[in-house]
Every structure is written in structure tokens, then in C-alpha cells.
Amino acid sequence: MSDNKLFQDFERSDIQQWEKLVASELKGESIEKLDWNFAERIPAKPYYSQYQGGHSFAKDAPWVIRQDFVVTNEKTANQSALLALNGGVDAIGFELGQHVDLKVLLNDILVEHIRLHLKASSLQVLDEFQTLLLERGISGSQVKGSFTLNSFETVGENCQALKPYLATFPQFSFFSISIQEKTAEGLSEALNKGVDYLDWLTENGFSIEQAADKIQFHVKLETDFFKEIVALKVLRQLWQKILFAYGYGALDKTYVVATNANDDTDANMAMLKNTTRCMAAIVGGADEINIQNYQADESKAQFLERIARNTQLILRHESKLDKVFDPSAGAYFVDAMVNEMATATWHQFLEKQSSIQ
């Protein structure tokens, strides 16, 4: 049955008729009374139709399910990571302390078949990781993931420190940019920092494609469902626009890691909120999602880690959200807010770039 035949018994809605009905319900008051603020300086109307706004940017690949662990004991962290991998995750993250034995930590973990994320305060970790790979007969070009160095604050310091490793691990992201606020100002600040990294990398012999691979954005997920979706879509849309300006016009090269805030003091409430956060990240187009559940009682740690994994596994395997190209397609409100926030963010981004030049 064609769409035309399916809907031929339904009369087309008329905006003027709807507004007239709303006005009668408002007892003659203006419909503008229902306008509200979606985000800082982003106005929103009470309803949106197909006549307003265009379609927003979308990501076409399924997301990566990630789980992170703080390493206080290498053997324990290794067992937890293996349990997570056998439980269905695609990526593992380790926050490392001092003097970590990588052989114990990565024992039986096939690093060439997952995404591995290492966060440390010393470059010695990368040297030891490279040695371990050589012992396994693996080259640095075979591993995917990221390395985050905690020691340096500025773009220049970070780049100089990590420069010797950039070519050794071509599929590793080394520069993680945190989104501080889901506002036009917060997003523009992240984009400007990204441009600083692009400039340094392209000036030091990397192609724009290679430079883009070295950068990832890190977003903390809150509970404002639509705001999270819009912010993620705006970030992806504008970063790709920037890459295009640098001469990269092929497939989407934006990489966004989304992590829940994990600031709830009740484990049951956290599970509910994290489902909403996770869905927002998926719909918004995050490439990698790391959900952690609040753990007040260490005896429940394994159970809560499993629940955190299953939150994503259910949305992938039962809700089939990884099979949908753009889950928010047709949501005129989302598309309109993406257009509004993208316009405001781009304006602030250009203002900052003009002041630098």
C-alpha cells in the first residue's frame, strides 16, 4: 500500500486552524505566551511543524559500548575488564595510577580486537605499552583507542609531549576535548580548542585526515534529554564543517565519547537516569558511550557494572537502536533546535576566530 493511499482518508493539518484552536483555549491571549527558553539564548516555540526548519546532521554507524575502570590493583582490574568484554562491551578504559604493570593489567585482553583507552600522568605508559605490543607481535598501527595525558594543560604543551607517539599509534586519539557546558558558548569553546589542535597537527606534517583522527570530544551526559541530543548533533555538524574548511570533504570524521555524570547518590535512581542519558547519547549520535552506575557499596560493584553494560546492550539488541540511521528524524522540534543552536554556536566560534586573527 502506497503512502498516498494509506493517508488519503486523513485531512491535512492546517497551521492556522491549530493556532486558532490554541488561541481559543488561551481565552484570547497571544500564543507567544507559550514560548520558552530551550537553552541559554535559544528561544523555543510551543510546537513545530514540517514547515519549520531543515533536517539535522546524523551519524550512520552504530555506537561503541565502553566500560571504564580505575586501576588500584592490576589483577582485579584485569578480571573486571575480561568480565566486561565477555559480557558484550566493545571498548575498555583504564585510569592508571603510578607504576602499573601493563602485562598483568592486559593479560588475555586482545587489544588488537577492541578499542583500548588509557589515561595516565606519565608517558612511560606508552613506552611500556609499545614494548608489550612488540612482545605479542603486534604493531602500534593495529590498536585503536586513545591515550589521555593528565600532566599538561595547554594545547602546545600537550602536543609537544605526545609528538613522538603520534605516528607510532596512528589509530589512537591523543587529544580529548571536554564539553564543559551544553550551550552555544560551551560548544564554541570546544570547537576553538579543536581548531588549535588541527593547526598544530597540520603545521607539523599531518594531513587533515590524520589530524582529525587524533582528536576526540568528550561529553558528560546530563538528564535533559532533548538538550543532550541537540548538543551532540550540533557538535558533529559544526566540527565536520570545520574539517571541510580545512580541505577534508569525505566521510564524517567526528568522534564523540559520551559518559554519564554519575553524580547520583542512590543506585536505583542512577539506573533510571542513566537509561535516559544513554538513549539521548544514542539518538544524538555519540560514537562511544560509557555508562557507570553509582557504587556506594563495593559488594554490589559487580552487579552495578553488569547493569551499566546491560543498559546499552538492551538498547542495542532489543530496542535495535543501532539499526536506525537517525532515530530523531522527523522530530521537527529537534531539527529546529539544532538549527538554532548551531547558528548561535557558529556565530560565537567565528567571533573568537576573528579576535585571534
Side-chain angles (χ1 to χ4, degrees):
M1 182 181 292
S2 68
D3 288 347
N4 290 336
K5 196 168 185 181
L6 178 64
F7 293 108
Q8 66 184 0
D9 293 332
F10 296 89
E11 293 184 9
R12 188 180 181 87
S13 298
D14 184 85
I15 293 178
Q16 285 71 34
Q17 289 178 327
W18 275 101
E19 291 182 348
K20 185 177 180 180
L21 178 62
V22 171
S24 67
E25 293 292 329
L26 291 174
K27 311 289 186 194
E29 293 189 63
S30 172
I31 192 174
E32 293 178 357
K33 175 185 178 181
L34 301 179
D35 290 353
W36 55 290
N37 286 322
F38 172 74
E40 185 181 5
R41 289 178 286 187
I42 305 294
K45 297 183 179 298
Y47 74 95
Y48 288 85
S49 75
Q50 60 185 321
Y51 305 107
Q52 297 168 306
H55 184 59
S56 59
F57 199 80
K59 181 181 75 71
D60 64 350
W63 77 96
V64 173
I65 299 176
R66 171 175 167 180
Q67 195 150 14
D68 283 8
F69 302 93
V70 177
V71 180
T72 55
N73 179 284
E74 293 95 327
K75 189 172 182 179
T76 301
N78 171 263
Q79 292 172 344
S80 297
L82 288 171
L83 186 65
L85 289 167
N86 289 326
V89 305
D90 312 305
I92 292 292
F94 290 119
E95 186 171 340
L96 308 176
Q98 298 292 331
H99 311 297
V100 174
D101 189 335
L102 287 182
K103 286 187 179 181
V104 176
L105 180 63
L106 299 177
N107 184 44
D108 290 331
I109 296 178
L110 304 179
V111 294
E112 68 272 31
H113 296 297
I114 65 169
R115 291 189 69 88
L116 178 67
H117 302 277
L118 302 173
K119 185 175 183 180
S121 57
S122 171
L123 290 171
Q124 183 179 350
V125 171
L126 281 175
D127 295 326
E128 293 174 356
F129 183 52
Q130 188 175 4
T131 300
L132 179 62
L133 292 179
L134 289 173
E135 290 176 359
R136 294 187 181 186
I138 303 169
S139 71
S141 62
Q142 290 178 265
V143 291
K144 299 178 181 179
S146 71
F147 177 82
T148 304
L149 185 63
N150 298 326
S151 306
F152 300 103
E153 293 291 333
T154 68
V155 169
E157 287 179 323
N158 211 10
C159 289
Q160 287 293 349
L162 289 164
K163 185 177 181 179
Y165 303 95
L166 300 182
T168 305
F169 301 99
Q171 298 193 81
F172 254 39
S173 297
F174 284 93
F175 310 115
S176 183
I177 302 170
S178 296
I179 310 297
Q180 300 300 328
E181 294 182 0
K182 312 294 174 38
T183 61
E185 183 177 359
L187 291 172
S188 66
E189 286 179 1
L191 293 173
N192 276 296
K193 192 168 185 178
V195 166
D196 289 342
Y197 280 121
L198 286 179
D199 286 342
W200 189 94
L201 289 163
T202 53
E203 288 168 6
N204 281 269
F206 291 90
S207 68
I208 185 59
E209 181 178 1
Q210 292 170 326
D213 282 335
K214 297 290 183 286
I215 300 168
Q216 65 180 12
F217 293 91
H218 191 274
V219 179
K220 282 283 187 181
L221 297 169
E222 306 295 342
T223 53
D224 191 326
F225 186 69
F226 288 109
K227 191 174 180 181
E228 299 301 311
I229 293 171
V230 169
L232 287 167
K233 287 199 162 197
V234 169
L235 176 63
R236 176 167 247 89
Q237 175 181 318
L238 296 185
W239 184 243
Q240 192 63 22
K241 186 175 182 177
I242 289 169
L243 293 180
F244 182 79
Y246 274 77
Y248 184 79
L251 299 175
D252 180 17
K253 270 284 181 183
T254 312
Y255 201 86
V256 181
V257 178
T259 307
N260 61 308
N262 198 21
D263 53 2
D264 297 294
T265 56
D266 179 81
N268 294 321
M269 182 61 71
M271 285 190 283
L272 293 173
K273 289 184 178 180
N274 286 338
T275 302
T276 300
R277 290 165 172 151
C278 187
M279 284 189 64
I282 295 167
V283 175
D287 297 274
E288 197 165 302
I289 303 174
N290 174 29
I291 297 296
Q292 304 288 333
N293 272 336
Y294 174 77
Q295 297 179 15
D297 187 348
E298 285 300 317
S299 66
K300 296 181 180 179
Q302 195 173 100
F303 166 74
L304 292 174
E305 286 171 2
R306 180 169 63 84
I307 292 298
R309 289 194 298 274
N310 288 350
T311 299
Q312 296 197 61
L313 291 171
I314 289 171
L315 292 173
R316 175 188 282 183
H317 296 296
E318 296 189 23
S319 298
K320 308 292 185 184
L321 287 181
D322 64 326
K323 300 293 190 290
V324 183
F325 170 68
D326 183 7
S328 69
Y332 307 125
F333 165 68
V334 172
D335 286 342
M337 291 300 96
V338 168
N339 289 335
E340 292 284 345
M341 185 171 278
T343 300
T345 301
W346 191 247
H347 176 72
Q348 293 202 29
F349 168 77
L350 292 179
E351 277 192 345
K352 178 67 174 178
Q353 289 296 309
S354 297
S355 66
I356 294 173
Q357 297 171 2

